[in-house]
Amino acid sequence: MTNSKAPSSMQPLIERATARPLRSHHWSDASVSQRLSHIGKFVAVTPSLQSSISFIQTLMASHLTAPEGEIAFLLGETRAGKTTAINEVIAETAEETGGQIVSRILDDQRDSEAMVSVLVKTPNGWERPIVKIFVPKAPTFKALLNDVLLAFDIKLPRSATFAERQLALGRQLKGQATRLVVFDDTQHICEQGKTSAAYEGADVFKVLAKTGQAQVLCVGLEHTIEIKDANPQAEWLGGEVHVVKPHDITAERSSSLATYCATLNKELPFDTPSALGEPDVFLPLGTYCDGYEGRIATIVRLAARYAIARNLPCLNRVVFENYLRDKLQIADQENPFRMTAEDLETLPALVAAARKDRIVSAEKRRSQGKRNRTAFGARGR
């Protein structure tokens, strides 16, 4: 059974992330928006990103090759490139099927769209080959299951039993030819301080894999793996894990870090060549970003905006140094672009110590605030 019409509450997303404005002959003639969009929407398909994409594609291609679906995990630190890989697969799926990428935003304090999917018009209705659902903070089994039902446009009365919900979900998963259901920010399930939450979250994934025969991908920080520890069925329904690793931090021009930064360098919206491919730039940049592609891309994009706003001709070491100082409030002693290669080795410890001091100071302020607020209560009058 497929839906006879497209959900009216869904709206098309912006164009594919890799689609960019045509390069201007002279970047100085282009608008600020065009210049920023060029670098902001550029996606460098590196070996690391391609490995994540291939992992997702293989999982998706394995749909219906076994009696049950699988539950797999794509893990990595913040801004490692996990969501970029998912979005690339979503875009490729839309292109291959002729489908439309649609999103739904809910007023429930999520950091982004609640759900994204590819809708494909067929003679029999609508199919939904891939769906991405963002897991909210502190999710419950019931709320997570309701999110899944909403993502598939399944409307049931509040009095519907779990068995009825499960039956309707399985029917729609098969009818809408859904191959892959992705849960992003899945670590939220594991951050409630109790094993039962992770167990219940895995029970939702189990319903999709066993009842609907869909492939399930849990995406999140590395402690998302606790779901497998809490619920053995999540482990034995495939349970494969792909961890997105950072680039090795090295000054070698042949390194993957150097290659990635050189690739970004070619796409920068400046008429004068920038210096991302030089060791005195990519080494401190990689160190500051812990080698993660998503973090490097973010800093490069924001530094480019900083440079464009000041009519600077390109990005170099001095621009990055000034950007970190002026816009991120990085102290000189912690600014990697003021350090020698030898000093950079001490940067992680310096940053960790500074962060710890800030946390301790914040906790003291909060505890002091609590004491002050207590004084204004009934006894403090």
Side-chain angles (χ1 to χ4, degrees):
M1 175 191 307
T2 59
N3 288 332
S4 59
K5 61 180 181 178
S8 58
S9 58
M10 290 189 166
Q11 298 297 326
L13 283 179
I14 60 172
E15 59 186 350
R16 185 177 179 181
T18 49
R20 294 169 283 131
L22 293 176
R23 186 191 297 271
S24 172
H25 181 65
H26 293 293
W27 278 118
S28 57
D29 296 333
S31 69
V32 171
S33 179
Q34 285 177 316
R35 295 174 73 179
L36 293 176
S37 292
H38 180 82
I39 188 62
K41 294 181 180 180
F42 173 69
V43 176
V45 184
T46 62
S48 174
L49 178 58
Q50 185 57 57
S51 178
S52 298
I53 290 173
S54 296
F55 178 74
I56 301 170
Q57 289 174 330
T58 299
L59 180 67
M60 195 170 178
S62 301
H63 178 240
L64 296 182
T65 59
E68 299 174 329
E70 303 170 50
I71 301 175
F73 297 81
L74 177 65
L75 309 178
E77 291 298 315
T78 301
R79 307 300 298 178
K82 305 181 298 295
T83 300
T84 299
I86 298 166
N87 290 343
E88 285 297 294
V89 173
I90 289 174
E92 289 177 7
T93 301
E95 188 175 328
E96 291 169 0
T97 61
Q100 181 184 42
I101 302 175
V102 297
S103 68
R104 176 174 283 155
I105 298 175
L106 303 179
D107 186 19
D108 61 0
Q109 307 302 314
R110 297 189 210 203
D111 296 332
S112 57
E113 309 100 337
M115 45 204 69
V116 178
S117 60
V118 173
L119 274 179
V120 183
K121 184 74 171 71
T122 73
N124 298 320
W126 293 87
E127 293 184 349
R128 206 181 305 253
I130 183 169
V131 176
K132 177 173 68 170
I133 299 170
F134 286 88
V135 179
K137 294 178 181 178
T140 63
F141 171 83
K142 182 179 179 181
L144 195 57
L145 182 59
N146 284 342
D147 275 356
V148 175
L149 294 171
L150 183 61
F152 287 91
D153 206 41
I154 301 172
K155 298 178 176 64
L156 294 172
R158 291 186 177 183
S159 59
T161 65
F162 171 70
E164 290 171 331
R165 294 170 188 268
Q166 188 177 19
L167 180 62
L169 181 57
R171 190 177 293 154
Q172 286 297 327
L173 280 165
K174 294 172 183 176
Q176 296 185 36
T178 302
R179 288 176 270 159
L180 179 64
V181 181
V182 179
F183 290 89
D184 208 351
D185 283 343
T186 319
Q187 74 275 357
H188 288 157
I189 294 174
C190 307
E191 293 173 348
Q192 301 185 63
K194 49 186 179 181
T195 304
S196 60
Y199 185 94
E200 291 175 358
D203 268 351
V204 174
F205 309 148
K206 184 180 68 177
V207 169
L208 294 168
K210 294 175 75 72
T211 304
Q213 296 178 286
Q215 302 290 82
V216 177
L217 180 62
C218 299
V219 182
L221 302 179
E222 293 195 27
H223 59 273
T224 302
I225 200 67
E226 294 169 10
I227 289 173
K228 287 177 63 173
D229 299 328
N231 194 321
Q233 292 199 54
E235 179 176 7
W236 291 106
L237 279 171
E240 291 189 352
V241 179
H242 179 84
V243 180
V244 182
K245 297 293 186 182
H247 291 286
D248 291 333
I249 309 300
T250 172
E252 295 293 329
R253 290 181 181 272
S254 60
S255 68
S256 61
L257 173 63
T259 301
Y260 177 60
C261 288
T263 301
L264 291 179
N265 195 69
K266 295 176 183 177
E267 297 295 329
L268 289 172
F270 299 97
D271 295 325
T272 301
S274 293
L276 265 67
E278 298 300 318
D280 71 338
V281 174
F282 71 70
L283 183 60
L285 179 61
T287 303
Y288 181 76
C289 297
D290 296 318
Y292 287 107
E293 291 180 358
R295 299 180 189 181
I296 293 171
T298 297
I299 293 298
V300 169
R301 174 176 59 83
L302 295 175
R305 184 175 69 183
Y306 173 87
I308 291 170
R310 286 157 180 76
N311 293 317
L312 300 176
C314 64
L315 291 187
N316 55 32
R317 185 182 177 98
V318 174
V319 175
F320 279 108
E321 175 190 331
N322 293 339
Y323 168 71
L324 262 63
R325 182 196 64 225
D326 296 344
K327 292 300 182 180
L328 299 186
Q329 303 301 306
I330 302 299
D332 285 349
Q333 64 270 24
E334 297 174 35
N335 194 319
F337 294 95
R338 294 179 60 88
M339 297 180 174
T340 64
E342 292 74 20
D343 291 338
L344 282 172
E345 296 180 5
T346 68
L347 181 62
L350 282 172
V351 172
R355 181 177 291 124
K356 182 177 180 180
D357 288 343
R358 289 195 296 271
I359 291 173
V360 169
S361 297
E363 288 176 345
K364 287 181 178 178
R365 285 196 304 274
R366 293 188 189 106
S367 61
Q368 182 64 39
K370 289 180 180 178
R371 287 195 294 272
N372 290 342
R373 285 194 296 272
T374 300
F376 288 96
R379 294 185 180 181
R381 291 177 181 172

